[in-house]
Amino acid sequence: MKPAERRLLQELPTLRRHMASSGVLALLGAVLVVAQASLLAALLADGFDGHLAPGTALAALGGVLALRAALAWARGMLAQRAAADAKRALRERITGRLRDTGPLKLASRPRGETATLLTRGLDALDPYVTGYLPTMTAAVVVPATIVAWLLGTDWSSALVIMLTLPLIPVFGALVGMHTAQRTARQWTLLSRLGGHFTDVIAGLPTLRAFGRAEHQTRVVREMADAHRRATMRTLRVAFLSSFVLETVATLSVALVAVPVGLRLLGGHTDLHTALTVLFLAPEAYLPLRAAGAAFHDGAEGVTVAEKVFALLDEAPPALRAADRRTPPDARTAPLRLAQVTVRHPGRAAPAVDRFSLDVRPGEHIALTGPSGAGKSTLLALLLGFVTPESGRVTVGGTDLALLDPDAWRAQVAWVPQHPHLFAASVADNIRLGRPAASDTEVRRAARAAFADGFIDALPQGYDTRLGERGTGLSAGQRQRLALARAFCKDAPVLLLDEPTAHLDADSEAAVTRATVRLMHGRTAIVVAHRTSLLPHADRVITIAAGRPAPQQPAPAEGPVRS
Amino acid sequence: MTATPTPRPAPASAPPPRRGDALAPRAGDAGAPAPGDVAPAAPGDAGVPHPGDARTQYAAGARTQHPTARLLGHLLPHWRRLLPAALAAAGSELASAALMATAAWLITRAAQQPPITAVSLAIVAVRALALGRGALRYSDRLLGHDGVLRAVAHFRARVYEALVPLAPAGSPAFRSGDLLTRLLDDVDAVQDLLLRVLFPLASAAAVAAATTGVTAALLPQAGLLQGTLLVVAGLLVPFLVLTVSRQAGHAHKAARAELADLTLDLTQGAADLAAYGAGHAAATRAHHAAGRIAVLERRGALTTSLAGAAVLLLQGAATLGVTWLALRAHAAGTLPAVHITVLAVLALVSFETLTALPAAARRYADIRARAGRLACLFDTPPPVTEPAAPAQLPADGQLGVDITGLRVRHHPGVPPVLDGVTLRLLPGRRTVLLGASGSGKSTLIAALMRFVDYEAGSVRVAGRELREAAGTDVRRVITGMTQDAHVFHTTIRANLLLARPDARDTDLCEAARRARLLEWIESLPDGWETVLGEDGAAMSGGQRRRLLLARALLADPPVLVLDEPTEGLDPHTASAVLSDLLDATRGRTTLLVTHEQAGLSAADRIVTLDDGRIRPADPPLA
């Protein structure tokens, strides 16, 4: 059992219960199989002797058959419910843990990766839970029950089955090992050939750009053919395991049926026993054959489990809110960065390098500098999204790392460069920071951010649904919506990341007026690239390569301008 | 590439590919599958009357075929390989049924204690069938997979051909890795349709028909009973499963889409949620969505597991009924004693292969959805209409581009991305186009390369309107490094040669040198033969950009376009790459699109794209 599989069973009690219940159901099923075989054999043996079966015998057999069907229904239903519960538990754990991962790390992941894992990805657990797990228990319980029964009825047949049954896993493992070696040797080739199609499709825009798309049609076919030949080479060996499985299973039926027939000829046994043995022999092998077929499902389920656990283990649980201090009131507490250094993973140069800054309550500071200079990182520091490698960020003298982050952020309104639109109405997007805000307050915030104009023009106004599947907005509209969010939140500290980027001249003037109004009476740190906001700042700090730059940069020289 | 090229000529059944051929039913190609062929293949499909969307899709237009029928159309050319595989599959199941029936006969006959010669043939038959079953199963699986993989190879080529005119603007799969993965997964629907639906169905049909035939020969009324129950279990039950899973599918889909949306909000919007203290509420909403999915799945479990039970119940009814009929016939003296057991066993085994069908039906519900998406793909009109009689474009020399009043809209009904763009790319000059993300810079490049059409305005090269020339000719003149430029999972050499297959080694070295990549390539142990990882994962971001730049320089088009060549690089590397790039393109018509402002001092001209229009650039700050 792989570690991920063991952990899956350890951490999800519903799966342990499922294993236990499917064991019990398998046992019941085996008992019913034995009953069915014995009753049918009796019915047929009596008929052979010329006695027409009594109604009770028929009714008993009918009852057993109906019970088997009911049991199959229960088995299927319980298995699917276990799968649903297991997936729900994993989904809730993942969504619950996302907050601990940290926004910057989440944003750096491929878009939609987690969403895919949570929906389609986890579905690979279905065959694992409904197929693989129950067959694994059944493969032990059912043959044991049947052999035990046969030992009492016809020990020589039981012996044949007992001797041949272990051949299946043994041969299966031998063939499996051999296949694994061969596949491992062919793996690079196989994955390269198999991946070719993906590669070519992903690169199709490039192929077209260089006029090579038509040429590749032939290559796609050739590679797919080469992939087929390589796959078939592997399959010729891999299918040997199913060959062994089927042959052992069917051969054993012959090994049981022929001697029993010969003993009948000699008068050493009776027809009832012989038929019971004939009916039961294949049933003993059935779960093992099913297990062989479900093996692949098991492997896929484990792969998903590994992905899930990798995601869950990624984020160490953060300090709980209870261990953190309540932040001081930002209306009176100064903000301070002291010799702060931040390095992004995988980058040699620090994003912020021994940077110091004191911000008095109510002060307005503009940060300028080329993109990538570390301006946005400074805002992320003040929000507690990144922790400094060295140096301290303090609020009223207390280290930000010791404060309850939610309580601190409650005093901050942030307008990011690329605000996210949530899959909710425009109004709900605006009241993100204050869910209790009334419609009037939402509209007032939108008006203040000069967003009311375009919102009113939307198909359903403030009720228009935004987000992935909803209405898209232009960059400037997003920006104004984010400003409306900040207005609505009405927090004492403002962190604005280029609030007037993406805006045309008219909107820029309007939004500048709105922003200046918003900044009034609040502490504000504004990243401003080329903006009319600069004159409204108490201080302008230019940053280059994570350090405060010496005063005004030399004007750029040279290029001819149109 | 390492694979040995296929010497085998293309099979006669594959005519030269033309878009559309693969889709429309062809008269000479066995045409659209005959209803009789399809009926056993897919319950609820063409053959079986079905009130649902199958009929509405047929009604939608005479040319519109059912998606599964279209998928089957792609399989027809391979019938020579698929038929033996299906026969072998049926053969191995038949062998298994025959083994049980013969063994039952042997045992019952032996109970009459005849001389051994009376049963010796049966003994041989039992042993032969036992041995043969494994061999048949082995060959069925090999033949089946070989045929399926051949069909898949053929189908992949068709999908590729359908995608060519759509790349990159015509299909969202080129914009989202997730959708691309899904598309590739959909392509495998062919494989699943054969291995998980059609082959099991063929085996089940063969076993049911053969066993019922034998039963009917021994005792006609038993044959009738068994046949009726088999039809119910083999057709009606899977059909109901299909209907139920399709209905459940809609509710599930909505619940899943909701969870996916909420998860996307939780991941992509994590910063906004944290800053606005809304993280807990969003996580709670996602929990509720997960809960709703679980409730739907638990509810669905009640009905879906009924199907398996129903088949077992029908099997039981058949066994009981046939046995009773046989016993009665024997008592009446019309049936030899030996046949009672044989009939009972035949009734039992005739259902064995049917137990796989409810699962196949569930699988088919999914395959249908995938086939439907593929059909949509095949039906997507290309975003650019090619002219019927393309005008010739000059292929070399120093060319300029005149863009006047260009208007481009991604979809009808949405505001245009570019509206009134007027820009002149002077011959031999390097123009830098600045603009915030989302301002339409990449759309302008796509319009120049004829990946998207323009609805108003004009783009002229050497006085010729681009729209009047063939797209491939335009891209011979205007090409370069697009934003979605791909590094192929092959050698560095092959990655570069793509741009100019006839380039000599000296050309390669020169392009690499100018992109400042040569040193790195020569430092690698395998040099030019180094295989690059999936999408260039083994390289750093800067090396990847330089490789793409070298490729664009090697292509050496009269008009070179470079879209965001420094995207994703740290500021230091970005400005190094930018200034190298401006150096390397000195004296050639170049359009460089970027949002970086540093490192542009060598440009001949800088303009800004803003709100769909060109305006003179602001002075850069650094």
Side-chain angles (χ1 to χ4, degrees):
Chain A
M1 205 183 259
K2 285 195 171 178
E5 198 179 357
R6 198 173 302 132
R7 194 166 157 195
L8 204 58
L9 293 175
Q10 263 167 15
E11 297 191 8
L12 298 179
T14 173
L15 288 187
R16 286 202 303 279
R17 278 198 300 276
H18 171 54
M19 287 281 274
S21 75
S22 57
V24 172
L25 289 175
L27 184 67
L28 277 175
V31 169
L32 287 176
V33 163
V34 169
Q36 178 189 329
S38 180
L39 284 171
L40 184 59
L43 207 62
L44 293 171
D46 284 354
F48 180 81
D49 293 338
H51 316 298
L52 193 54
T56 48
L58 277 172
L61 181 58
V64 168
L65 288 164
L67 272 178
R68 274 195 79 186
L71 200 65
W73 175 66
R75 199 161 44 213
M77 187 189 64
L78 290 176
Q80 286 183 44
R81 292 198 154 178
D85 291 344
K87 287 192 292 181
R88 175 190 190 157
L90 290 178
R91 280 178 178 135
E92 288 184 349
R93 285 183 63 176
I94 295 174
T95 49
R97 286 300 296 282
L98 282 177
R99 281 216 291 158
D100 297 334
T101 309
L104 299 184
K105 197 161 184 183
L106 282 177
S108 70
R109 270 191 209 152
R111 189 182 170 77
E113 190 186 58
T114 315
T116 309
L117 176 66
L118 272 189
T119 48
R120 279 184 290 138
L122 272 180
D123 286 341
L125 271 185
D126 278 339
Y128 174 81
V129 177
T130 59
Y132 179 80
L133 284 182
T135 43
M136 287 302 132
T137 45
V140 177
V141 173
V142 175
T145 315
I146 289 175
V147 167
W149 168 266
L150 280 180
L151 273 174
T153 0
D154 188 51
W155 67 268
S156 64
S157 300
L159 199 65
V160 171
I161 294 177
M162 268 161 76
L163 288 176
T164 49
L165 262 177
L167 289 181
I168 292 179
V170 168
F171 274 114
L174 282 176
V175 173
M177 259 145 60
H178 187 62
T179 320
Q181 277 175 13
R182 270 188 78 115
T183 320
R185 274 203 301 274
Q186 291 234 321
W187 179 246
T188 324
L189 178 65
L190 272 177
S191 67
R192 172 107 166 262
L193 293 171
H196 178 259
F197 187 59
T198 318
D199 197 29
V200 164
I201 300 280
L204 195 47
T206 306
L207 292 171
R208 281 195 92 198
F210 295 113
R212 301 297 289 164
E214 278 72 19
H215 162 79
Q216 284 285 331
T217 311
R218 195 175 50 81
V219 182
V220 164
R221 252 203 107 110
E222 281 173 8
M223 292 302 258
D225 270 330
H227 182 243
R228 172 182 58 81
R229 284 193 300 272
T231 310
M232 291 312 293
R233 278 199 294 279
T234 318
L235 287 184
R236 271 193 278 278
V237 182
F239 286 159
L240 278 180
S241 69
S242 85
F243 171 68
V244 169
L245 205 126
E246 299 289 336
T247 306
V248 170
T250 47
L251 206 56
S252 318
V253 175
L255 285 177
V256 168
V258 173
V260 163
L262 292 177
R263 273 188 281 142
L264 267 173
L265 266 184
H268 303 300
T269 187
D270 60 288
L271 183 60
H272 174 233
T273 311
L275 284 175
T276 311
V277 170
L278 177 69
F279 293 146
L280 282 183
E283 296 287 345
Y285 297 93
L286 205 60
L288 275 173
R289 288 161 68 183
F295 205 76
H296 179 66
D297 296 338
E300 286 207 334
V302 173
T303 311
V304 177
E306 279 166 356
K307 277 190 199 163
V308 169
F309 289 131
L311 204 67
L312 288 178
D313 294 343
E314 204 174 58
L319 273 177
R320 283 293 120 210
D323 306 329
R324 307 278 194 120
R325 288 186 222 164
T326 314
D329 190 340
R331 280 172 297 193
T332 52
L335 289 171
R336 173 166 216 190
L337 297 164
Q339 292 288 310
V340 173
T341 301
V342 176
R343 209 180 295 269
H344 290 309
R347 294 277 168 87
V352 170
D353 191 7
R354 288 160 292 150
F355 192 91
S356 296
L357 177 68
D358 281 291
V359 187
R360 293 189 309 276
E363 194 177 12
H364 299 161
I365 290 180
L367 300 174
T368 69
S371 58
K375 303 185 298 284
S376 300
T377 310
L378 285 177
L379 297 193
L381 268 170
L382 290 168
L383 282 161
F385 289 164
V386 287
T387 37
E389 184 183 280
S390 64
R392 279 170 14 121
V393 182
T394 57
V395 181
T398 319
D399 198 320
L400 194 60
L402 300 174
L403 298 179
D404 173 9
D406 286 339
W408 163 241
R409 288 170 196 153
Q411 302 192 48
V412 181
W414 176 54
V415 177
Q417 244 177 320
H418 303 288
H420 182 82
L421 298 185
F422 291 89
S425 69
V426 171
D428 286 347
N429 263 285
I430 292 177
R431 58 166 78 97
L432 184 71
R434 204 147 60 87
S438 70
D439 284 351
T440 327
E441 285 168 316
V442 167
R443 277 165 200 274
R444 196 185 303 143
R447 223 172 6 254
F450 291 90
D452 54 335
F454 78 83
I455 294 173
D456 283 331
L458 288 172
Q460 278 106 40
Y462 284 82
D463 295 329
T464 309
R465 196 179 152 86
L466 302 175
E468 194 76 349
R469 259 165 273 265
T471 309
L473 296 181
S474 78
Q477 290 168 339
R478 284 162 171 264
Q479 203 80 41
R480 277 177 275 174
L481 205 64
L483 269 173
R485 253 179 214 167
F487 271 107
C488 189
K489 186 171 180 183
D490 192 21
V493 177
L494 286 174
L495 301 176
L496 308 174
D497 204 342
E498 307 213 29
T500 57
H502 318 302
L503 298 181
D504 59 56
D506 292 346
S507 323
E508 180 171 347
V511 172
T512 302
R513 273 204 306 281
T515 311
V516 171
R517 201 188 304 157
L518 179 62
M519 277 158 48
H520 185 74
R522 294 180 168 91
T523 311
I525 299 174
V526 187
V527 172
H529 209 112
R530 46 160 179 97
T531 177
S532 41
L533 277 169
L534 288 180
H536 301 278
D538 303 325
R539 267 195 288 166
V540 177
I541 296 170
T542 308
I543 306 170
R547 307 268 314 145
Q551 282 314 301
Q552 287 308 306
E557 6 100 41
V560 182
R561 310 204 174 273
S562 62
Chain B
M1 316 246 158
T2 52
T4 46
T6 338
R8 191 168 38 79
S13 58
R18 272 185 60 89
R19 219 186 101 73
D21 264 5
L23 327 172
R26 271 173 289 174
D29 202 347
D37 292 338
V38 189
D45 228 333
V48 180
H50 179 252
D53 40 350
R55 192 171 291 173
T56 16
Q57 289 205 11
Y58 278 115
R63 287 176 55 88
T64 314
Q65 247 184 324
H66 190 279
T68 315
R70 286 169 70 163
L71 212 54
L72 285 171
H74 288 287
L75 299 178
L76 279 176
H78 302 276
W79 70 271
R80 274 191 208 82
R81 302 224 170 234
L82 295 176
L83 192 63
L87 287 178
S92 88
E93 294 301 333
L94 278 174
S96 165
L99 170 68
M100 281 305 285
T102 319
W105 185 88
L106 164 68
I107 283 175
T108 327
R109 182 77 182 97
Q112 294 174 331
Q113 303 192 325
I116 188 151
T117 46
V119 293
S120 54
L121 187 65
I123 291 176
V124 172
V126 164
R127 288 178 175 154
L129 284 167
L131 279 172
R133 144 108 183 145
L136 271 170
R137 182 87 185 110
Y138 181 67
S139 53
D140 122 48
R141 297 196 68 183
L142 275 190
L143 283 171
H145 278 80
D146 185 63
V148 166
L149 289 173
R150 276 173 202 272
V152 166
H154 170 87
F155 188 60
R156 283 185 167 185
R158 291 291 95 81
V159 171
Y160 176 80
E161 281 162 14
L163 280 169
V164 167
L166 299 183
S171 164
F174 294 109
R175 290 192 294 278
S176 144
D178 195 37
L179 288 179
L180 182 68
T181 313
R182 181 165 172 161
L183 166 75
L184 293 166
D185 178 58
D186 285 349
V187 172
D188 288 338
V190 184
Q191 196 167 328
D192 288 350
L193 179 64
L194 279 169
L195 288 176
R196 313 244 195 177
V197 180
L198 293 187
F199 286 173
L201 206 62
S203 307
V207 170
T211 49
T212 309
V214 175
T215 304
L218 297 178
L219 188 66
Q221 61 269 45
L224 185 69
L225 175 70
Q226 186 181 317
T228 313
L229 292 175
L230 277 170
V231 167
V232 174
L235 292 179
L236 188 63
V237 171
F239 172 70
L240 290 176
V241 169
L242 187 64
T243 317
V244 170
S245 34
R246 201 180 301 153
Q247 279 164 359
H250 293 306
H252 276 231
K253 226 167 128 182
R256 277 146 179 284
E258 193 191 359
L259 179 65
D261 278 351
L262 291 171
T263 314
L264 213 58
D265 282 351
L266 277 175
T267 51
Q268 301 312 116
D272 305 62
L273 287 174
Y276 283 84
H280 182 70
T284 311
R285 274 198 299 278
H287 278 217
H288 288 324
R292 271 192 294 279
I293 293 179
V295 168
L296 282 171
E297 284 179 343
R298 287 179 68 97
R299 204 179 293 156
L302 278 174
T303 46
T304 49
S305 46
L306 268 180
V311 173
L312 270 181
L313 207 58
L314 288 161
Q315 183 186 31
T319 311
L320 211 58
V322 168
T323 308
W324 186 69
L325 286 174
L327 288 173
R328 238 184 34 168
H330 176 61
T334 52
L335 190 80
V338 179
H339 289 173
I340 308 173
T341 354
V342 174
L343 283 170
V345 168
L346 279 175
L348 258 181
V349 298
S350 63
F351 282 83
E352 287 297 330
T353 41
L354 292 190
T355 48
L357 294 189
R362 258 196 301 282
R363 181 78 60 173
Y364 174 67
D366 171 51
I367 291 173
R368 232 178 98 106
R370 289 153 79 188
R373 285 197 292 268
L374 285 172
C376 284
L377 178 80
F378 280 116
D379 290 339
T380 310
V384 173
T385 332
E386 294 284 332
Q392 291 299 310
L393 288 177
D396 39 31
Q398 276 204 337
L399 299 174
V401 183
D402 281 309
I403 307 166
T404 353
L406 193 69
R407 183 160 74 226
V408 176
R409 217 185 280 270
H410 279 317
H411 306 285
V414 300
V417 191
L418 299 177
D419 198 0
V421 169
T422 299
L423 177 66
R424 207 156 171 206
L425 305 182
L426 295 170
R429 306 296 287 275
R430 293 155 302 170
T431 309
V432 171
L433 179 66
L434 290 174
S437 59
S439 60
K441 304 185 305 277
S442 297
T443 308
L444 179 62
I445 299 249
L448 290 180
M449 292 175 74
R450 296 293 285 146
F451 284 151
V452 295
D453 222 336
Y454 43 96
E455 59 173 48
S458 99
V459 185
R460 284 167 183 273
V461 169
R464 305 257 160 70
E465 186 66 41
L466 285 195
R467 198 184 269 143
E468 283 153 22
T472 45
D473 289 341
V474 172
R475 288 186 287 275
R476 217 161 281 148
V477 176
I478 307 174
T479 189
M481 177 174 169
T482 51
Q483 212 185 348
D484 50 13
H486 183 74
V487 173
F488 290 88
H489 183 42
T490 175
T491 61
I492 296 183
R493 180 188 301 278
N495 259 298
L496 285 193
L497 277 181
L498 174 86
R500 187 144 63 92
D502 58 351
R504 288 161 306 158
D505 279 3
T506 48
D507 301 331
L508 291 179
C509 287
E510 176 61 14
R513 192 188 57 75
R514 288 207 288 166
R516 296 231 197 149
L517 192 69
L518 191 57
E519 220 168 279
W520 175 69
I521 296 173
E522 286 174 346
S523 76
L524 293 167
D526 293 333
W528 287 92
E529 307 309 319
T530 308
V531 173
L532 299 173
E534 262 170 11
D535 205 28
M539 292 181 286
S540 74
Q543 282 153 354
R544 185 174 185 277
R545 290 282 149 185
R546 284 171 196 278
L547 180 86
L548 298 175
L549 175 63
R551 182 198 273 166
L553 292 174
L554 183 69
D556 195 22
V559 178
L560 181 66
V561 290
L562 301 163
D563 193 357
E564 296 279 13
T566 57
E567 173 90 23
L569 300 185
D570 63 76
H572 183 70
T573 322
S575 75
V577 169
L578 265 187
S579 61
D580 286 356
L581 218 150
L582 287 168
D583 260 1
T585 52
R586 193 177 297 277
R588 74 169 77 203
T589 318
T590 305
L591 176 64
L592 173 72
V593 165
T594 181
H595 68 271
E596 292 288 338
Q597 306 215 355
L600 296 177
S601 48
D604 296 311
R605 184 164 172 244
I606 300 179
V607 293
T608 296
L609 184 63
D610 198 0
D611 211 21
R613 282 165 193 272
I614 297 284
R615 62 178 173 79
D618 293 305
L621 268 167

